[in-house]
Amino acid sequence: MAKLIFRMNQSLDGYVDHLAMPSRPTLFRYWIERVRDLAGSVYGRGMYEVMRYWDEDRPEWSAEGHEFAAAWRNQPKWVVSRSLTSVGPNATLVQDDVEAVIRGLKADLAGEISLSGPNLARSVTDLGLIDEYQLYFHPVVLGHGKPFFAGPRPPLRFVASDLIDDDVIRLTYVPA
């Protein structure tokens, strides 16, 4: 049975914005390995559209950029959206019965499934399907943006902290 993990980078004041928190080499290497090891990913529409950047090679990318793109392209993806009519390669559009789809993925896959997108995470939290929350804190204060938790924070129990980069720490929680 797979474990569903909601993980995202966030500022000290609780906002997610990948452009305001660029990955330095050590952190980027960390994300390459995480993506490579996933059984798959479930995306909300907005986060999926951000990640589609990795669908096509770009000449300005470093070797690590190409490596991340290859890992991202190789993993199966499920995109939850009622507004999209199609999705890119190695992706499946989920428009209805999100709960049944995620329960099926958890039952059928082994390893970790990443969940991305605060709004989607709120819905999936309300269904009781998230097994773990990983918050990657960056030493920046944004003062605005999309919050990590799109609604009231669910009851959580702290289980671990890990220094990922010189100044990025991961806090891991499970539902209480």
Side-chain angles (χ1 to χ4, degrees):
M1 181 170 212
K3 183 191 297 189
L4 185 66
I5 301 173
F6 176 44
R7 55 169 61 107
M8 291 190 77
N9 293 308
Q10 76 173 68
S11 64
L12 291 175
D13 55 346
Y15 295 107
V16 297
D17 182 343
H18 72 284
L19 295 175
M21 297 175 281
S23 295
R24 295 189 327 219
T26 303
L27 184 60
F28 196 61
R29 169 61 44 200
Y30 172 86
W31 286 117
I32 292 169
E33 299 305 322
R34 293 295 74 70
V35 169
R36 181 179 290 135
D37 293 341
L38 290 172
S41 290
V42 179
Y43 289 97
R45 181 198 49 80
M47 197 66 214
Y48 177 70
E49 288 177 338
V50 167
M51 293 302 292
R52 295 268 338 246
Y53 170 80
W54 299 103
D55 272 345
E56 295 182 24
D57 286 327
R58 301 186 190 278
E60 68 273 13
W61 287 352
S62 65
E64 290 80 12
H66 289 284
E67 190 176 356
F68 180 87
W72 189 79
R73 289 176 197 150
N74 285 332
Q75 69 168 250
K77 294 170 271 304
W78 293 267
V79 182
V80 177
S81 174
R82 289 190 179 99
S83 60
L84 291 176
T85 57
S86 65
V87 291
N90 210 11
T92 301
L93 182 60
V94 178
Q95 294 182 307
D96 297 307
D97 208 355
V98 174
E99 180 177 8
V101 170
I102 291 177
R103 285 190 190 282
L105 293 173
K106 289 178 68 170
D108 295 343
L109 299 174
E112 294 182 354
I113 302 168
S114 183
L115 178 76
S116 296
N119 292 331
L120 175 61
R122 178 179 185 179
S123 299
V124 176
T125 293
D126 292 345
L127 296 170
L129 296 175
I130 297 179
D131 299 298
E132 193 170 283
Y133 296 80
Q134 294 181 359
L135 294 76
Y136 292 81
F137 281 97
H138 290 248
V140 297
V141 175
L142 299 178
H144 67 282
K146 185 172 285 262
F148 183 89
F149 291 104
R153 185 180 61 83
L156 300 175
R157 182 174 54 83
F158 175 77
V159 294
S161 64
D162 303 284
L163 188 62
I164 304 301
D165 194 358
D166 291 338
D167 59 1
V168 175
I169 189 166
R170 176 183 66 197
L171 300 179
T172 303
Y173 294 86
V174 295

